[in-house]
Amino acid sequence: MGDLVIGARSGAGEPEGAGGRAARSADAAAPTASAEDAAAQSADEHGDGTDDVSKPTPDNTEPAGGTEEQPERKERKPRSFWKELPILIGIALVLALVIKTFFVQAFSIPSESMQNTLQVGDRVLVDKLTPWFGAEPERGEVVVFHDPGGWLADEPTNESSNSFVRGVQNVLSFVGLMPSDNEKDLIKRVIAVGGDTVECEGEGPVKVNGIALNEPYVYAGNTPCGTKPFGPVKVPDGRIWVMGDHRADSLDSRFHMDQPGGGTVPVDDVIGRAFVVAWPINRWATLPVPDTFDQKGLAAAALPAIPAAAGAVGAVALLPLVRRRWNGTDRDDRS
C-alpha cells in the first residue's frame, strides 16, 4: 500500500526534471525520523513477537564443530514364528532329557505281572531324583529295576518292524518323551529289604521277620504264595526281595533263587520308585505304600536277639560290681 500512496502523490502536475525526480527518489528511499522512531517503538513493544531471521532458533542451532547427523533408530522386527520354532523344539528336547536323566522317567507296563495294580499298556512315572540323595527302596514300594541277570533272557522286545518308526521311537525314548520298548527293565513290589527274613509257606500269608502281611493288592483268586512257596530267605544287605501282585503270573524273586543273589535284586540296579499311573487318563492313580508295611515291629523284628544279648552281656559285666556293693552294705549293717 505504500507504493500506492507514493504513486498517488506523484500524480500532481509538477515539472519532471532530472533533479526533481532524483530528489523525490532520495526522499522516498530514506525513511523519515518519525517513521524510524515509530518502527523502533513498535520493535520495543513487540520484541518477542518479531520474526528475526538472523537469530537462530533452537531447531536451527548447530554445534561449533559443524553439523552432525543423528543416527536413525531402526525398529527391530519380531522374529518369525517359523524361525523360533526350531529353537523352542531344541529347548524342549534339552529340558526333557534333563528331566528324564535326573528327575522323572516314564515307563510302559508290558505284562500282567502287576495286575490289578497295573494293567498292560499303563504308563507310570518313576521318581529318579530320590536315589541321587542316597535313599534306598522301602518295603511296599513299586520299583522299576534293570534285569539283574537272566530274568528277561527269553523275553522279546516290543520294537516296531518299521525302521523309520523305530528310529523315531528311539529318539523320543532317549529324551524321555515316551517309554522305551527295547530296554529290559522290570517292575515289581518290594516285599523285604536287606537284613529281613522273608518266607511264604503253603498258601500263605507272606511273612517278613515273622510278621504276616495283609496284602489286599494281590490279584483276585491268587494266594499270597502263588504257585511257588519259598523260604525262609535272609535278604543280604544292599539287596531287595521283590514280588509281582499277580502272584500266579509273575517270574519274580521266587523263581530266581538258584541264581547269584538267591533271587534278590541289587539296590544299585533300581532305577526308581513308580509313584503314579499317568496314562491312560481314566487309569490315573497314585501308588502309595500299603498300610500293612507300617505294622509295628516289622522292621525291628529283624534283629530281636541283639538287645537281649546286649542286656545279658551288660548284666554279666555288672555282676561283680553289684556283688561287691552288696557285700559292703551287708558288712556295714552287721557292724
Side-chain angles (χ1 to χ4, degrees):
M1 293 182 66
D3 291 340
L4 293 176
V5 172
I6 294 173
R9 290 175 61 187
S10 63
E14 296 180 4
E16 295 290 330
R21 285 196 299 270
R24 285 196 300 270
S25 298
D27 293 338
T32 62
S34 61
E36 290 176 2
D37 294 338
Q41 183 178 1
S42 177
D44 293 336
E45 293 176 355
H46 304 88
D48 296 335
T50 56
D51 294 330
D52 187 0
V53 296
S54 63
K55 181 180 180 181
T57 61
D59 294 336
N60 294 332
T61 57
E62 296 179 0
T67 61
E68 181 178 352
E69 295 182 359
Q70 297 293 334
E72 296 182 0
R73 295 182 179 179
K74 296 182 179 180
E75 295 183 359
R76 294 183 177 180
K77 296 182 179 180
R79 186 176 294 175
S80 171
F81 170 77
W82 297 108
K83 292 182 178 179
E84 291 185 346
L85 183 59
I87 300 176
L88 296 176
I89 293 176
I91 294 174
L93 293 177
V94 171
L95 290 176
L97 180 60
V98 171
I99 291 173
K100 173 213 170 181
T101 304
F102 299 104
F103 297 96
V104 177
Q105 185 175 354
F107 285 86
S108 177
I109 306 303
S111 69
E112 301 174 350
S113 66
M114 282 296 293
Q115 287 181 330
N116 273 330
T117 304
L118 300 173
Q119 302 291 344
V120 176
D122 284 354
R123 301 294 197 272
V124 297
L125 297 182
V126 174
D127 170 23
K128 302 179 68 174
L129 177 62
T130 305
W132 284 89
F133 294 94
E136 295 188 356
E138 297 182 0
R139 304 176 194 88
E141 293 181 347
V142 177
V143 297
V144 175
F145 56 94
H146 299 304
D147 184 354
W151 286 35
L152 295 175
D154 299 329
E155 292 288 335
T157 59
N158 297 322
E159 289 184 301
S160 173
S161 58
N162 187 302
S163 59
F164 175 77
V165 174
R166 188 167 61 252
V168 172
Q169 289 177 341
N170 290 338
V171 172
L172 294 180
S173 64
F174 174 75
V175 299
L177 296 180
M178 71 175 296
S180 175
D181 289 326
N182 57 2
E183 292 182 2
K184 291 189 175 183
D185 300 322
L186 301 97
I187 184 167
K188 305 291 180 187
R189 189 181 298 275
V190 179
I191 302 299
V193 297
D196 290 344
T197 299
V198 59
E199 60 184 318
C200 190
E201 297 179 357
E203 294 184 354
V206 175
K207 295 181 180 180
V208 177
N209 300 324
I211 297 179
L213 300 180
N214 178 24
E215 301 181 285
Y217 46 80
V218 172
Y219 186 75
N222 287 183
T223 62
C225 297
T227 59
K228 189 78 171 177
F230 63 92
V233 176
K234 181 68 175 292
V235 181
D237 291 337
R239 304 180 78 92
I240 56 176
W241 180 273
V242 297
M243 299 175 69
D245 290 354
H246 195 167
R247 298 289 162 81
D249 193 14
S250 177
L251 298 177
D252 46 40
S253 292
R254 299 169 294 164
F255 293 89
H256 301 280
M257 297 177 62
D258 58 339
Q259 296 180 359
T264 60
V265 177
V267 170
D268 293 340
D269 286 346
V270 176
I271 299 172
R273 175 189 174 185
F275 64 94
V276 67
V277 181
W279 187 263
I281 296 178
N282 62 346
R283 289 272 305 152
W284 189 92
T286 58
L287 299 171
V289 175
D291 294 338
T292 188
F293 292 95
D294 294 330
Q295 296 182 73
K296 292 183 179 180
L298 185 63
L303 301 172
I306 291 180
V313 172
V316 171
L318 292 174
L319 185 59
L321 180 60
V322 173
R323 182 178 299 175
R324 187 180 309 160
R325 177 66 178 171
W326 172 258
N327 293 337
T329 304
D330 186 37
R331 283 196 297 269
D332 292 341
D333 291 342
R334 285 183 293 179
S335 63

